[in-house]
Amino acid sequence: MLAMLSTRPAVRRCAGASALALALLGAGLPAAAADRPQPDLTRFYRQKVTWGACEGLDMPRDLQCGKVTVPLDYARPRAGTLDLALARYRATGTSRGSVLLNFGGPGGPGVPGLASEGRQFMDLTNGYDVVTFDPRGVGRSSPVSCGEGSDEVAAVTQEDVDLSHPQVLLRQLQQAAKDCARHSGPVLGHIGTVNASRDMDVIRQALGDDKLNYLGFSYGTRLGAVYSAQFPGKVGRLVLDGVDTLTEPLAEQGLAGAEGQQTALDDFVDWCTGDVACPFGQDPRTAGDEVLRLVRSLDENPVPSDLGGAFSGQDLVGAIGQALYDRTLWPSLKQALASLVEDGDTRRVLAFSSGGIQVPRGGHREDGGLADIQDVPMDNLPAALMAINCADDPDRPTAARITKDLEDLRAAYERASPVFGRFRLTELLLCYGRPRGTDFIRDEVKDVRSAKMLLVGTRGDPATPYRWTVETARRLGPAAVVLDNKGEGHTGYTSSKCVHRKVNDFLLYGALPANGSSCPADQPGDSGTGTTTG
């Protein structure tokens, strides 16, 4: 489907621009570009959000929805616009403004995330309106897609990478990139964290906040770090939880992710085998082999799924990876795997693939603006994940380099994880055939001159290793304050009582913990407040 764009030209600037208009324009300039002539963004910085009831089934009554309009291309603001979906819970008392949330991904829509998991953030309504958004290309905000059911995309993402025919593989990858471009429309050329960060500054102004107060998880930490580099003077109280890398290429990120997920899977298997209901038996030494055998069996002979199409071993790997982010999901994962193994029922496992949010697919509107909920394509999350990661990464190995390195890459990924290695390698390869990404994040997001920000790193995080927190803090400079969470799972705010309290103290009262302070792991039986996306 095509992206939802408005092509109405921006309002012309009056000949005698007021001091207010000039101030608003200046507020929208990234720090690195403030000394260069800039396009007129006054129209976008003059917006105010109109809030109303949220559309869709099962939306909480006290959740309000709205939108802001941003330029498709910040360098050419008259070339078209995008609407971004917003949602908020109102402050319960006197509001000091808003705190903006990003749940991660990249590719995770904020609005359904806040609708389903809003209880985790109700403490913050003691002082803030709690706001989230669907970033450009995600959810209702001009969703990207690679074409559901595309044979070429399926050949790359679900079948074995045929190392004996690399030229065939490269043609499949190029075709997959063309399919994504064809089904996504103009937004695909302007997706990525650098533009999403600029969108957040427009949102900040539309919410009426002088500074951005922000809580970002996983990928959301990359987005927050980029914002601190682009708009250092607009940083309020900013928290990055589950800190992403700013420097490692996708190949290294994939290896780190595979290793972390394999460790988490091994821990899950050890736990599972202590129960007679574990579908892989009670011997930890063989249960891991049974998981791998199930994945390979489904890759060779996929089974039908209730959502249409076939359910492969790689679909299973993706679902398990999501479930391993939070230890509190392990009982549900065990039950879902038992249903799959014993009854061939894929429904419970598939729920993990989309975070439990199943969005039906439909047609598309031609009049621009937000996509209707039923029109968000089913593949939006993985399509947006790849589009954003590729847009943020400047590395594009040539066909000759991929052909030369492919066997070594697969061996390295399989050593990192027999279960997750191929899945992660496929994600890496899918950037081939796409335009080269930006250098901005690697080159410019460092030594930021912003207010102090809190970085939370979890020692047992399967997705964002603790060393990334340390490396990113060192890169960001003195503004970064590190909180060491000794626990397990992906991110700390929703799983650690200590982290939850310290983050709230900073966001609500400005009480920043000392750099290098720590939170102990919660004891068995303790529970956090929920989960976050990837």
Side-chain angles (χ1 to χ4, degrees), residues 13-57:
R13 188 175 177 180
C14 296
S18 67
L20 173 62
L22 291 173
L24 291 173
L25 176 57
L29 300 183
D35 58 346
R36 297 196 301 266
Q38 295 294 318
D40 185 359
L41 301 175
T42 306
R43 170 198 173 185
F44 302 100
Y45 276 88
R46 279 180 167 168
Q47 295 177 86
K48 297 297 178 185
V49 182
T50 300
W51 298 101
C54 296
E55 300 178 6
L57 299 175

mmCIF file of all heavy atoms in Angstrom, residues 13-57:
data_model
loop_
_atom_site.group_PDB
_atom_site.id
_atom_site.type_symbol
_atom_site.label_atom_id
_atom_site.label_comp_id
_atom_site.label_asym_id
_atom_site.label_seq_id
_atom_site.Cartn_x
_atom_site.Cartn_y
_atom_site.Cartn_z
ATOM 1 N N ARG A 13 4.848 32.217 4.025
ATOM 2 C CA ARG A 13 5.280 33.085 5.117
ATOM 3 C C ARG A 13 4.911 34.530 4.796
ATOM 4 O O ARG A 13 5.093 35.002 3.677
ATOM 5 C CB ARG A 13 6.791 32.953 5.257
ATOM 6 C CG ARG A 13 7.395 33.638 6.454
ATOM 7 C CD ARG A 13 8.865 33.274 6.466
ATOM 8 N NE ARG A 13 9.567 33.938 7.532
ATOM 9 C CZ ARG A 13 10.858 33.774 7.723
ATOM 10 N NH1 ARG A 13 11.553 32.991 6.932
ATOM 11 N NH2 ARG A 13 11.457 34.402 8.703
ATOM 12 N N CYS A 14 4.385 35.223 5.790
ATOM 13 C CA CYS A 14 4.031 36.632 5.587
ATOM 14 C C CYS A 14 5.290 37.454 5.397
ATOM 15 O O CYS A 14 6.353 37.148 5.938
ATOM 16 C CB CYS A 14 3.258 37.159 6.804
ATOM 17 S SG CYS A 14 1.667 36.341 7.049
ATOM 18 N N ALA A 15 5.161 38.525 4.622
ATOM 19 C CA ALA A 15 6.339 39.340 4.326
ATOM 20 C C ALA A 15 6.937 39.914 5.594
ATOM 21 O O ALA A 15 8.155 39.984 5.758
ATOM 22 C CB ALA A 15 5.951 40.466 3.364
ATOM 23 N N GLY A 16 6.094 40.336 6.526
ATOM 24 C CA GLY A 16 6.609 40.876 7.782
ATOM 25 C C GLY A 16 6.498 39.845 8.876
ATOM 26 O O GLY A 16 5.569 39.881 9.658
ATOM 27 N N ALA A 17 7.408 38.907 8.934
ATOM 28 C CA ALA A 17 7.338 37.826 9.932
ATOM 29 C C ALA A 17 7.507 38.419 11.318
ATOM 30 O O ALA A 17 8.371 39.254 11.565
ATOM 31 C CB ALA A 17 8.428 36.798 9.671
ATOM 32 N N SER A 18 6.681 37.956 12.232
ATOM 33 C CA SER A 18 6.738 38.478 13.599
ATOM 34 C C SER A 18 7.918 37.886 14.347
ATOM 35 O O SER A 18 8.510 36.891 13.961
ATOM 36 C CB SER A 18 5.438 38.129 14.331
ATOM 37 O OG SER A 18 5.364 36.721 14.516
ATOM 38 N N ALA A 19 8.230 38.507 15.476
ATOM 39 C CA ALA A 19 9.310 37.974 16.318
ATOM 40 C C ALA A 19 8.960 36.577 16.818
ATOM 41 O O ALA A 19 9.823 35.712 16.967
ATOM 42 C CB ALA A 19 9.547 38.916 17.498
ATOM 43 N N LEU A 20 7.667 36.317 17.075
ATOM 44 C CA LEU A 20 7.249 34.995 17.529
ATOM 45 C C LEU A 20 7.528 33.947 16.468
ATOM 46 O O LEU A 20 8.051 32.861 16.761
ATOM 47 C CB LEU A 20 5.759 35.007 17.875
ATOM 48 C CG LEU A 20 5.141 33.634 18.209
ATOM 49 C CD1 LEU A 20 5.829 33.044 19.442
ATOM 50 C CD2 LEU A 20 3.641 33.770 18.447
ATOM 51 N N ALA A 21 7.200 34.286 15.209
ATOM 52 C CA ALA A 21 7.433 33.325 14.128
ATOM 53 C C ALA A 21 8.912 33.020 13.989
ATOM 54 O O ALA A 21 9.310 31.868 13.789
ATOM 55 C CB ALA A 21 6.892 33.874 12.811
ATOM 56 N N LEU A 22 9.744 34.034 14.109
ATOM 57 C CA LEU A 22 11.180 33.813 14.014
ATOM 58 C C LEU A 22 11.680 32.961 15.166
ATOM 59 O O LEU A 22 12.558 32.104 14.993
ATOM 60 C CB LEU A 22 11.912 35.153 13.995
ATOM 61 C CG LEU A 22 11.706 35.990 12.720
ATOM 62 C CD1 LEU A 22 12.350 37.369 12.896
ATOM 63 C CD2 LEU A 22 12.298 35.291 11.512
ATOM 64 N N ALA A 23 11.120 33.189 16.358
ATOM 65 C CA ALA A 23 11.539 32.387 17.507
ATOM 66 C C ALA A 23 11.155 30.933 17.315
ATOM 67 O O ALA A 23 11.909 30.021 17.652
ATOM 68 C CB ALA A 23 10.897 32.936 18.780
ATOM 69 N N LEU A 24 9.946 30.699 16.788
ATOM 70 C CA LEU A 24 9.508 29.331 16.545
ATOM 71 C C LEU A 24 10.379 28.662 15.500
ATOM 72 O O LEU A 24 10.725 27.487 15.623
ATOM 73 C CB LEU A 24 8.049 29.317 16.092
ATOM 74 C CG LEU A 24 7.015 29.698 17.156
ATOM 75 C CD1 LEU A 24 5.639 29.804 16.525
ATOM 76 C CD2 LEU A 24 6.999 28.687 18.288
ATOM 77 N N LEU A 25 10.734 29.398 14.465
ATOM 78 C CA LEU A 25 11.591 28.833 13.434
ATOM 79 C C LEU A 25 12.942 28.447 14.023
ATOM 80 O O LEU A 25 13.463 27.365 13.769
ATOM 81 C CB LEU A 25 11.786 29.846 12.304
ATOM 82 C CG LEU A 25 12.751 29.447 11.179
ATOM 83 C CD1 LEU A 25 12.313 28.142 10.538
ATOM 84 C CD2 LEU A 25 12.848 30.558 10.148
ATOM 85 N N GLY A 26 13.499 29.324 14.842
ATOM 86 C CA GLY A 26 14.781 29.015 15.466
ATOM 87 C C GLY A 26 14.704 27.797 16.360
ATOM 88 O O GLY A 26 15.647 27.020 16.454
ATOM 89 N N ALA A 27 13.542 27.593 17.019
ATOM 90 C CA ALA A 27 13.384 26.433 17.895
ATOM 91 C C ALA A 27 13.456 25.137 17.133
ATOM 92 O O ALA A 27 13.768 24.094 17.694
ATOM 93 C CB ALA A 27 12.042 26.522 18.628
ATOM 94 N N GLY A 28 13.155 25.185 15.834
ATOM 95 C CA GLY A 28 13.131 23.966 15.058
ATOM 96 C C GLY A 28 14.424 23.636 14.352
ATOM 97 O O GLY A 28 14.447 22.728 13.535
ATOM 98 N N LEU A 29 15.493 24.350 14.642
ATOM 99 C CA LEU A 29 16.750 24.099 13.949
ATOM 100 C C LEU A 29 17.614 23.124 14.727
ATOM 101 O O LEU A 29 17.909 23.346 15.892
ATOM 102 C CB LEU A 29 17.528 25.410 13.779
ATOM 103 C CG LEU A 29 16.848 26.517 12.982
ATOM 104 C CD1 LEU A 29 17.801 27.695 12.861
ATOM 105 C CD2 LEU A 29 16.418 26.029 11.621
ATOM 106 N N PRO A 30 18.043 22.020 14.120
ATOM 107 C CA PRO A 30 19.029 21.170 14.765
ATOM 108 C C PRO A 30 20.301 21.954 15.035
ATOM 109 O O PRO A 30 20.672 22.849 14.276
ATOM 110 C CB PRO A 30 19.272 20.050 13.748
ATOM 111 C CG PRO A 30 18.077 20.062 12.860
ATOM 112 C CD PRO A 30 17.633 21.499 12.817
ATOM 113 N N ALA A 31 20.985 21.602 16.136
ATOM 114 C CA ALA A 31 22.170 22.357 16.541
ATOM 115 C C ALA A 31 23.228 22.381 15.454
ATOM 116 O O ALA A 31 23.882 23.395 15.227
ATOM 117 C CB ALA A 31 22.735 21.751 17.823
ATOM 118 N N ALA A 32 23.404 21.263 14.749
ATOM 119 C CA ALA A 32 24.470 21.181 13.745
ATOM 120 C C ALA A 32 24.188 22.027 12.517
ATOM 121 O O ALA A 32 25.085 22.296 11.731
ATOM 122 C CB ALA A 32 24.669 19.723 13.325
ATOM 123 N N ALA A 33 22.910 22.456 12.341
ATOM 124 C CA ALA A 33 22.559 23.177 11.123
ATOM 125 C C ALA A 33 22.117 24.611 11.392
ATOM 126 O O ALA A 33 21.706 25.303 10.476
ATOM 127 C CB ALA A 33 21.445 22.431 10.393
ATOM 128 N N ALA A 34 22.218 25.063 12.650
ATOM 129 C CA ALA A 34 21.653 26.359 13.001
ATOM 130 C C ALA A 34 22.352 27.517 12.319
ATOM 131 O O ALA A 34 21.795 28.606 12.228
ATOM 132 C CB ALA A 34 21.705 26.548 14.526
ATOM 133 N N ASP A 35 23.573 27.316 11.842
ATOM 134 C CA ASP A 35 24.310 28.406 11.221
ATOM 135 C C ASP A 35 24.140 28.429 9.711
ATOM 136 O O ASP A 35 24.800 29.204 9.027
ATOM 137 C CB ASP A 35 25.795 28.308 11.583
ATOM 138 C CG ASP A 35 26.413 26.983 11.153
ATOM 139 O OD1 ASP A 35 25.643 26.062 10.821
ATOM 140 O OD2 ASP A 35 27.658 26.879 11.153
ATOM 141 N N ARG A 36 23.258 27.573 9.164
ATOM 142 C CA ARG A 36 23.037 27.537 7.722
ATOM 143 C C ARG A 36 21.638 28.048 7.397
ATOM 144 O O ARG A 36 20.722 27.932 8.218
ATOM 145 C CB ARG A 36 23.194 26.099 7.188
ATOM 146 C CG ARG A 36 24.593 25.548 7.376
ATOM 147 C CD ARG A 36 24.794 24.315 6.500
ATOM 148 N NE ARG A 36 23.851 23.255 6.790
ATOM 149 C CZ ARG A 36 24.110 22.253 7.636
ATOM 150 N NH1 ARG A 36 25.252 22.207 8.286
ATOM 151 N NH2 ARG A 36 23.211 21.305 7.833
ATOM 152 N N PRO A 37 21.421 28.613 6.214
ATOM 153 C CA PRO A 37 20.070 29.033 5.837
ATOM 154 C C PRO A 37 19.111 27.848 5.915
ATOM 155 O O PRO A 37 19.430 26.746 5.467
ATOM 156 C CB PRO A 37 20.244 29.519 4.394
ATOM 157 C CG PRO A 37 21.692 29.853 4.275
ATOM 158 C CD PRO A 37 22.416 28.902 5.163
ATOM 159 N N GLN A 38 17.930 28.086 6.509
ATOM 160 C CA GLN A 38 16.994 26.998 6.751
ATOM 161 C C GLN A 38 15.651 27.277 6.086
ATOM 162 O O GLN A 38 15.230 28.418 5.949
ATOM 163 C CB GLN A 38 16.777 26.821 8.252
ATOM 164 C CG GLN A 38 18.020 26.386 9.007
ATOM 165 C CD GLN A 38 18.467 24.988 8.624
ATOM 166 O OE1 GLN A 38 17.642 24.100 8.475
ATOM 167 N NE2 GLN A 38 19.764 24.820 8.436
ATOM 168 N N PRO A 39 14.968 26.212 5.671
ATOM 169 C CA PRO A 39 13.610 26.383 5.162
ATOM 170 C C PRO A 39 12.679 26.868 6.275
ATOM 171 O O PRO A 39 12.975 26.686 7.468
ATOM 172 C CB PRO A 39 13.211 24.972 4.703
ATOM 173 C CG PRO A 39 14.411 24.127 4.816
ATOM 174 C CD PRO A 39 15.408 24.826 5.670
ATOM 175 N N ASP A 40 11.581 27.447 5.884
ATOM 176 C CA ASP A 40 10.624 27.989 6.847
ATOM 177 C C ASP A 40 9.756 26.857 7.401
ATOM 178 O O ASP A 40 8.937 26.276 6.687
ATOM 179 C CB ASP A 40 9.756 29.035 6.141
ATOM 180 C CG ASP A 40 8.814 29.733 7.107
ATOM 181 O OD1 ASP A 40 8.836 29.385 8.301
ATOM 182 O OD2 ASP A 40 8.065 30.613 6.659
ATOM 183 N N LEU A 41 9.928 26.570 8.684
ATOM 184 C CA LEU A 41 9.142 25.537 9.364
ATOM 185 C C LEU A 41 8.104 26.134 10.305
ATOM 186 O O LEU A 41 7.528 25.426 11.126
ATOM 187 C CB LEU A 41 10.078 24.618 10.149
ATOM 188 C CG LEU A 41 11.150 23.877 9.344
ATOM 189 C CD1 LEU A 41 12.075 23.117 10.294
ATOM 190 C CD2 LEU A 41 10.524 22.939 8.331
ATOM 191 N N THR A 42 7.839 27.447 10.174
ATOM 192 C CA THR A 42 6.955 28.135 11.110
ATOM 193 C C THR A 42 5.595 27.467 11.190
ATOM 194 O O THR A 42 5.032 27.308 12.279
ATOM 195 C CB THR A 42 6.789 29.605 10.687
ATOM 196 O OG1 THR A 42 8.075 30.195 10.559
ATOM 197 C CG2 THR A 42 5.965 30.363 11.705
ATOM 198 N N ARG A 43 5.040 27.075 10.060
ATOM 199 C CA ARG A 43 3.711 26.460 10.050
ATOM 200 C C ARG A 43 3.648 25.272 10.998
ATOM 201 O O ARG A 43 2.692 25.093 11.749
ATOM 202 C CB ARG A 43 3.359 26.010 8.631
ATOM 203 C CG ARG A 43 2.106 25.154 8.571
ATOM 204 C CD ARG A 43 1.998 24.382 7.294
ATOM 205 N NE ARG A 43 0.879 23.452 7.354
ATOM 206 C CZ ARG A 43 0.590 22.563 6.425
ATOM 207 N NH1 ARG A 43 1.331 22.494 5.341
ATOM 208 N NH2 ARG A 43 -0.431 21.753 6.563
ATOM 209 N N PHE A 44 4.679 24.444 10.977
ATOM 210 C CA PHE A 44 4.665 23.218 11.765
ATOM 211 C C PHE A 44 4.861 23.510 13.253
ATOM 212 O O PHE A 44 4.295 22.817 14.104
ATOM 213 C CB PHE A 44 5.745 22.272 11.242
ATOM 214 C CG PHE A 44 5.576 21.938 9.785
ATOM 215 C CD1 PHE A 44 6.342 22.577 8.812
ATOM 216 C CD2 PHE A 44 4.615 21.031 9.377
ATOM 217 C CE1 PHE A 44 6.169 22.289 7.470
ATOM 218 C CE2 PHE A 44 4.441 20.737 8.034
ATOM 219 C CZ PHE A 44 5.216 21.372 7.076
ATOM 220 N N TYR A 45 5.643 24.558 13.565
ATOM 221 C CA TYR A 45 5.899 24.892 14.956
ATOM 222 C C TYR A 45 4.794 25.749 15.573
ATOM 223 O O TYR A 45 4.864 26.066 16.768
ATOM 224 C CB TYR A 45 7.264 25.566 15.091
ATOM 225 C CG TYR A 45 8.392 24.568 15.191
ATOM 226 C CD1 TYR A 45 9.018 24.066 14.058
ATOM 227 C CD2 TYR A 45 8.806 24.093 16.424
ATOM 228 C CE1 TYR A 45 10.041 23.137 14.145
ATOM 229 C CE2 TYR A 45 9.828 23.158 16.531
ATOM 230 C CZ TYR A 45 10.441 22.682 15.395
ATOM 231 O OH TYR A 45 11.453 21.753 15.500
ATOM 232 N N ARG A 46 3.794 26.103 14.822
ATOM 233 C CA ARG A 46 2.656 26.851 15.363
ATOM 234 C C ARG A 46 1.477 25.959 15.714
ATOM 235 O O ARG A 46 0.450 26.435 16.180
ATOM 236 C CB ARG A 46 2.196 27.900 14.349
ATOM 237 C CG ARG A 46 3.032 29.167 14.368
ATOM 238 C CD ARG A 46 2.508 30.137 13.329
ATOM 239 N NE ARG A 46 3.067 31.466 13.512
ATOM 240 C CZ ARG A 46 2.967 32.447 12.639
ATOM 241 N NH1 ARG A 46 2.333 32.244 11.487
ATOM 242 N NH2 ARG A 46 3.482 33.625 12.878
ATOM 243 N N GLN A 47 1.609 24.657 15.500
ATOM 244 C CA GLN A 47 0.487 23.753 15.741
ATOM 245 C C GLN A 47 0.180 23.602 17.228
ATOM 246 O O GLN A 47 1.060 23.710 18.076
ATOM 247 C CB GLN A 47 0.810 22.355 15.212
ATOM 248 C CG GLN A 47 0.974 22.241 13.729
ATOM 249 C CD GLN A 47 1.373 20.820 13.356
ATOM 250 O OE1 GLN A 47 0.521 19.954 13.179
ATOM 251 N NE2 GLN A 47 2.678 20.587 13.236
ATOM 252 N N LYS A 48 -1.076 23.294 17.506
ATOM 253 C CA LYS A 48 -1.507 22.823 18.807
ATOM 254 C C LYS A 48 -2.321 21.550 18.579
ATOM 255 O O LYS A 48 -3.083 21.456 17.618
ATOM 256 C CB LYS A 48 -2.359 23.864 19.538
ATOM 257 C CG LYS A 48 -1.607 25.148 19.855
ATOM 258 C CD LYS A 48 -0.434 24.899 20.799
ATOM 259 C CE LYS A 48 0.343 26.184 21.083
ATOM 260 N NZ LYS A 48 1.557 25.917 21.897
ATOM 261 N N VAL A 49 -2.173 20.590 19.454
ATOM 262 C CA VAL A 49 -2.859 19.306 19.282
ATOM 263 C C VAL A 49 -4.310 19.437 19.712
ATOM 264 O O VAL A 49 -4.614 19.980 20.778
ATOM 265 C CB VAL A 49 -2.169 18.199 20.096
ATOM 266 C CG1 VAL A 49 -2.860 16.855 19.862
ATOM 267 C CG2 VAL A 49 -0.692 18.109 19.744
ATOM 268 N N THR A 50 -5.218 18.937 18.886
ATOM 269 C CA THR A 50 -6.625 18.815 19.245
ATOM 270 C C THR A 50 -6.872 17.373 19.680
ATOM 271 O O THR A 50 -6.707 16.437 18.894
ATOM 272 C CB THR A 50 -7.526 19.160 18.052
ATOM 273 O OG1 THR A 50 -7.268 20.512 17.645
ATOM 274 C CG2 THR A 50 -8.989 19.004 18.419
ATOM 275 N N TRP A 51 -7.249 17.201 20.931
ATOM 276 C CA TRP A 51 -7.423 15.863 21.486
ATOM 277 C C TRP A 51 -8.879 15.435 21.438
ATOM 278 O O TRP A 51 -9.785 16.247 21.582
ATOM 279 C CB TRP A 51 -6.935 15.815 22.934
ATOM 280 C CG TRP A 51 -5.469 16.110 23.083
ATOM 281 C CD1 TRP A 51 -4.906 17.289 23.470
ATOM 282 C CD2 TRP A 51 -4.390 15.208 22.847
ATOM 283 N NE1 TRP A 51 -3.543 17.189 23.480
ATOM 284 C CE2 TRP A 51 -3.185 15.915 23.116
ATOM 285 C CE3 TRP A 51 -4.312 13.876 22.439
ATOM 286 C CZ2 TRP A 51 -1.936 15.334 22.985
ATOM 287 C CZ3 TRP A 51 -3.067 13.289 22.317
ATOM 288 C CH2 TRP A 51 -1.890 14.006 22.584
ATOM 289 N N GLY A 52 -9.094 14.144 21.249
ATOM 290 C CA GLY A 52 -10.442 13.596 21.228
ATOM 291 C C GLY A 52 -10.415 12.120 21.566
ATOM 292 O O GLY A 52 -9.381 11.549 21.915
ATOM 293 N N ALA A 53 -11.569 11.483 21.439
ATOM 294 C CA ALA A 53 -11.659 10.049 21.730
ATOM 295 C C ALA A 53 -10.853 9.254 20.705
ATOM 296 O O ALA A 53 -10.723 9.634 19.546
ATOM 297 C CB ALA A 53 -13.122 9.606 21.707
ATOM 298 N N CYS A 54 -10.286 8.147 21.150
ATOM 299 C CA CYS A 54 -9.493 7.289 20.275
ATOM 300 C C CYS A 54 -10.400 6.336 19.500
ATOM 301 O O CYS A 54 -11.353 5.789 20.063
ATOM 302 C CB CYS A 54 -8.480 6.486 21.081
ATOM 303 S SG CYS A 54 -7.232 7.483 21.915
ATOM 304 N N GLU A 55 -10.077 6.148 18.223
ATOM 305 C CA GLU A 55 -10.807 5.193 17.407
ATOM 306 C C GLU A 55 -10.305 3.783 17.670
ATOM 307 O O GLU A 55 -9.164 3.579 18.055
ATOM 308 C CB GLU A 55 -10.629 5.516 15.923
ATOM 309 C CG GLU A 55 -11.123 6.888 15.523
ATOM 310 C CD GLU A 55 -10.869 7.176 14.057
ATOM 311 O OE1 GLU A 55 -10.417 6.259 13.345
ATOM 312 O OE2 GLU A 55 -11.108 8.318 13.638
ATOM 313 N N GLY A 56 -11.182 2.813 17.433
ATOM 314 C CA GLY A 56 -10.765 1.427 17.547
ATOM 315 C C GLY A 56 -11.400 0.730 18.739
ATOM 316 O O GLY A 56 -11.804 1.363 19.727
ATOM 317 N N LEU A 57 -11.467 -0.579 18.646
ATOM 318 C CA LEU A 57 -12.043 -1.384 19.710
ATOM 319 C C LEU A 57 -11.093 -1.462 20.897
ATOM 320 O O LEU A 57 -9.868 -1.413 20.744
ATOM 321 C CB LEU A 57 -12.335 -2.801 19.197
ATOM 322 C CG LEU A 57 -13.339 -2.903 18.030
ATOM 323 C CD1 LEU A 57 -13.431 -4.343 17.544
ATOM 324 C CD2 LEU A 57 -14.701 -2.372 18.451
#
